[in-house]
């Protein structure tokens, strides 16, 4: 626990505490009375209410739409499965500003739905909810599907042989085993939608605003750091309460599971029901995920003879100090380093949290690990700028600052992906190895690692994908001569003109392709033969 605790203390707790303290400590005095003043404002109470209920609705809708997909990817084998799994994950790494723009092109004025049926959904809650499902579909599919693929199907078959119906066997055998993974996926979706920024900013218009949007408005437009600090504390408290509740309820339901090699559980669809389910999932992916991505590609090709792509190689001397295409290499380098950091920190934390004899202090850290997903990225970015500027942590001019910020968001995904599998490992396997003379390191290498290797690769893929698409904190700390892809896209979208908009769509398309290729390679590498456990 030493390294994870030190990492989160220095690069998360310290910067966030510093920026909040600067907002509440005014003219040499603490102004805690601002909390009551801010909550007394009707518009702030409306923001709090909308932030909460849209996050709950988005989480429920995402689970409803994505759980059938998790089953299909875990239990069914069909041509193109690996490619489709990579395609499903691509939306998750897109910057939220791009997601909002893509859905605006679908449901806004002059969009696809408007042209075909005269239907407009922009500035409505439905546009926001659908965009959140688009963004978080992969979270449920990969988190729940990763464990579902390793559950021994013979346990459910045994229940069927004892007279249980298919639904009863699934409800009494499979669902309880999947409970921790479903809860972890729901938690991540809730945190992302609770702190939603780009999607609500573009699709919500002046009508809808989340806490994250209001913090940004108070900070960058009104310059009221005091109100922004209060809203950050409210967001922090709400997220902390959810995490504590999650840690208390989920741990009681976790138990040792019988895990098998995932490659042995997937079969060709059998029967009309499985074929119908596969068709429904494929149709959902096509309409909800592929169609918005196709809109981005089509917009990037509007220029004659790939004009928008050719313009990326030129230095315009205005928006960037380097050609925009350089952002591709920057993002890949940053994401690789951030993934290594996130996997190291997350794996150590998950290994400590998975121990049955872990104390209360260690278990409490389980909830704290998720806080970076629920705290305003605006706050984290500003916090980096005002804290990491003095020796021995003067990192403002260092390239490592960006991967550190990205790893803060990637590490919780590593923990949440690995923890259910680690906790499902039977302790008797470790005890038997220890009795035979294996050291703790060898027990981990010979017992735990073969079982969790697949989950570790899934976690690494998540961390890499999150790092590629991280925008909120990176936009404040990325150097002008080394922009990342999301920062480059946002800068281009912020400038008027068809050429800038076309280049933004071209960069977004490149980001999609890079992510799809990286995830497809990961799908090939993570195919293992770990045997039965």
């Amino acid at each position: 626990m030493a390294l994870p605790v030190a990492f989160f203390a220095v690069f998360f707790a310290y910067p966030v505490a510093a920026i909040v303290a600067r907002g509440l400590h005014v003219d040499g005095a603490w102004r805690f009375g601002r909390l009551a003043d801010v909550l007394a404002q009707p518009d702030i109470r409306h923001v709090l209410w909308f932030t909460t209920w849209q996050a709950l609705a988005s989480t429920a809708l995402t689970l409803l739409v994505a759980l059938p997909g998790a089953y299909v990817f875990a239990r069914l084998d069909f041509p193109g499965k690996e490619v489709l799994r990579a395609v499903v994950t691509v939306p998750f790494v897109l910057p939220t500003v791009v997601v909002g723009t893509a859905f605006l092109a679908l449901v806004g004025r002059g969009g696809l739905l408007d042209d075909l049926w005269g239907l407009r959904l922009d500035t409505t809650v439905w546009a926001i909810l659908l965009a959140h499902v688009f963004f978080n579909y992969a979270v449920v599919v990969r988190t729940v599907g990763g464990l579902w693929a390793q559950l021994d199907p013979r346990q459910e078959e045994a229940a069927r042989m004892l007279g249980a119906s298919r639904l009863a066997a699934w409800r009494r055998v499979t669902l309880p085993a999947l409970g921790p993974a479903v809860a972890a996926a729901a938690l991540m979706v809730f945190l992302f939608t609770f702190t939603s920024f780009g999607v609500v900013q573009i699709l919500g218009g002046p009508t809808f605003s989340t806490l994250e949007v209001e913090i940004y408005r108070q900070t960058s437009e009104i310059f009221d750091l005091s109100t922004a600090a209060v809203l950050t504390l409210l967001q922090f408290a709400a997220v902390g309460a959810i995490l504590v509740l999650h840690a208390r309820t989920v741990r009681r339901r976790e138990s040792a599971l019988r895990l098998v090699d995932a490659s042995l559980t997937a079969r060709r669809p059998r029967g009309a029901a499985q074929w119908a389910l596969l068709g429904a999932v494929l149709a959902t992916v096509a309409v909800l995920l592929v169609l918005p991505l196709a809109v981005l590609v089509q917009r990037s090709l509007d220029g004659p003879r790939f004009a928008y792509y050719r313009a990326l190689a030129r230095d315009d001397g205005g928006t960037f100090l380097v050609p925009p295409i350089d952002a591709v290499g920057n993002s890949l380098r940053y994401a690789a380093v951030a993934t290594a950091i996130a996997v190291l920190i997350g794996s150590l934390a998950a290994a400590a949290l998975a121990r049955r004899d872990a104390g209360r202090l260690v278990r409490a850290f389980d909830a704290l690990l998720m806080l970076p997903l629920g705290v305003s990225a605006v706050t984290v970015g500003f916090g980096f700028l005002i804290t990491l500027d003095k020796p021995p942590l003067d990192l403002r001019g260092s390239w490592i600052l960006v991967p550190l910020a990205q790893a803060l968001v990637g590490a919780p995904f590593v923990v949440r992906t690995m923890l259910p599998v680690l906790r499902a490992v039977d302790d008797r396997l470790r005890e038997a190895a220890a009795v035979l003379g294996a050291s703790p390191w060898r027990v981990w290498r010979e017992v735990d690692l073969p079982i969790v290797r697949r989950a570790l690769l899934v976690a690494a893929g998540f961390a890499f994908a999150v790092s590629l698409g991280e925008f909120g904190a990176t936009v404040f700390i990325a150097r002008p001569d080394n922009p990342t892809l999301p920062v480059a896209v946002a800068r281009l979208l912020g400038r008027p003109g068809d050429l800038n908009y076309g280049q933004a769509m071209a960069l977004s398309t490149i980001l999609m392709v890079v992510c799809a290729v990286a995830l497809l390679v990961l799908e090939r590498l993570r195919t293992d033969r770990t045997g039965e456990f």
Side-chain angles (χ1 to χ4, degrees):
M1 291 298 297
L3 188 58
V5 168
F7 178 80
F8 280 92
V10 173
F11 298 111
F12 174 69
Y14 176 43
V16 171
I19 193 68
V20 171
R22 177 166 294 194
L24 294 179
H25 194 262
V26 182
D27 296 329
W30 292 96
R31 301 182 61 185
F32 293 108
R34 284 290 297 159
L35 178 60
D37 296 338
V38 171
L39 289 177
Q41 302 176 28
D43 55 337
I44 296 297
R45 292 200 300 269
H46 175 73
V47 168
L48 289 172
W49 166 246
F50 175 74
T51 301
T52 303
W53 86 258
Q54 67 83 23
L56 291 171
S58 297
T59 303
L61 187 60
T62 303
L63 289 174
L64 179 66
V65 174
L67 280 177
Y71 171 82
V72 165
F73 281 103
R75 293 301 199 197
L76 301 185
D77 187 22
F78 52 92
K81 179 179 176 180
E82 294 179 354
V83 175
L84 189 62
R85 196 195 304 269
V87 170
V88 163
T89 310
V90 168
F92 184 70
V93 306
L94 291 179
T96 53
V97 290
V98 177
V99 174
T101 303
F103 270 83
L104 195 62
L106 286 177
V107 303
R109 181 186 300 274
L112 183 61
L113 296 183
D114 191 18
D115 291 342
L116 293 178
W117 299 295
L119 179 63
R120 288 185 56 192
L121 297 176
D122 58 322
T123 68
T124 67
V125 174
W126 280 109
I128 295 173
L129 296 182
L130 290 175
H132 283 162
V133 175
F134 168 87
F135 190 76
N136 294 291
Y137 186 91
V139 175
V140 178
V141 169
R142 298 186 74 93
T143 303
V144 179
L147 180 60
W148 205 336
Q150 291 185 273
L151 292 182
D152 191 346
R154 290 175 296 184
Q155 298 180 68
E156 190 172 320
E157 293 169 1
R160 294 288 311 280
M161 292 182 63
L162 293 174
S165 65
R166 186 180 298 275
L167 178 60
W170 181 83
R171 181 170 54 86
R172 296 182 179 180
V173 177
T174 305
L175 184 58
L178 289 176
V182 173
L187 175 66
M188 287 188 283
V189 174
F190 180 85
L191 290 179
F192 272 111
T193 53
F194 189 80
T195 59
S196 182
F197 174 65
V199 168
V200 179
Q201 180 85 338
I202 294 176
L203 296 178
T207 307
F208 303 107
S209 178
T210 59
L211 272 174
E212 186 83 355
V213 174
E214 189 64 21
I215 291 172
Y216 176 80
R217 189 175 75 89
Q218 295 288 341
T219 302
S220 62
E221 297 179 8
I222 304 178
F223 303 107
D224 188 352
L225 285 181
S226 179
T227 300
V230 171
L231 295 178
T232 298
L233 287 176
L234 289 174
Q235 190 179 60
F236 190 87
V239 170
I242 294 296
L243 293 176
V244 170
L245 178 64
H246 169 268
R248 290 187 175 218
T249 56
V250 171
R251 187 170 179 82
R252 294 173 183 171
R253 303 174 58 185
E254 291 175 336
S255 59
L257 304 175
R258 183 177 178 83
L259 303 180
V260 298
D261 180 4
S263 64
L264 303 177
T265 62
R267 301 176 180 176
R268 300 282 293 182
R270 294 177 296 181
Q274 288 191 349
W275 281 107
L277 179 61
L278 176 60
V281 169
L282 293 178
T284 300
V285 171
V287 173
L288 186 62
L289 304 184
V290 176
L291 187 58
L293 301 180
V295 170
L296 292 181
V297 176
Q298 183 268 326
R299 294 292 176 90
S300 72
L301 296 173
D302 277 350
R305 293 182 297 176
F306 303 98
Y308 297 146
Y309 288 92
R310 288 188 285 109
L312 294 177
R314 298 196 298 265
D315 183 4
D316 62 1
T319 306
F320 304 99
L321 300 179
V322 295
I325 195 65
D326 288 359
V328 177
N330 296 335
S331 288
L332 290 176
R333 288 191 294 271
Y334 289 146
V337 177
T339 300
I341 298 173
V343 168
L344 174 62
I345 299 298
S347 298
L348 290 174
L353 294 169
R355 293 181 60 89
R356 307 285 177 186
D357 57 349
R360 290 186 177 181
L361 186 60
V362 174
R363 291 197 298 269
F365 190 62
D366 186 9
L368 298 178
L369 284 170
M370 299 299 293
L371 285 178
L373 300 183
V375 172
S376 169
V378 175
T379 302
V380 175
F382 274 128
F384 267 46
L385 291 179
I386 68 172
T387 57
L388 304 180
D389 60 344
K390 299 181 181 67
L393 288 175
D394 187 2
L395 302 177
R396 286 185 303 174
S398 173
W399 63 271
I400 195 64
L401 200 60
V402 173
L404 287 173
Q406 295 173 344
L408 276 175
V409 183
F413 281 92
V414 176
V415 175
R416 293 267 70 85
T417 304
M418 293 186 62
L419 197 53
V421 179
L422 278 172
R423 284 178 173 167
V425 177
D426 195 334
D427 276 338
R428 291 173 296 181
L429 294 174
R430 301 186 181 106
E431 294 168 359
V435 168
L436 293 174
S439 65
W441 164 246
R442 189 172 182 184
V443 170
W444 162 257
R445 182 165 53 89
E446 300 289 347
V447 177
D448 292 76
L449 184 58
I451 298 177
V452 304
R453 182 167 56 219
R454 186 175 186 274
L456 181 63
L457 289 172
V458 172
F462 255 134
F464 185 80
V466 170
S467 299
L468 276 179
E470 206 287 322
F471 171 72
T474 305
V475 69
F476 293 102
I477 56 180
R479 291 162 52 181
D481 56 341
N482 285 292
T484 62
L485 276 170
V487 172
V489 170
R491 289 179 183 174
L492 288 168
L493 285 175
R495 297 189 66 185
D498 292 338
L499 180 60
N500 289 312
Y501 181 81
Q503 288 184 85
M505 296 301 101
L507 275 181
S508 299
T509 303
I510 292 173
L511 176 58
M512 288 189 295
V513 172
V514 170
C515 177
V517 171
L519 294 173
L520 186 58
V521 171
L522 178 66
E523 290 297 323
R524 297 287 186 182
L525 292 177
R526 79 190 187 103
T527 303
D528 52 41
R529 296 293 183 269
T530 57
E532 185 176 329
F533 298 92

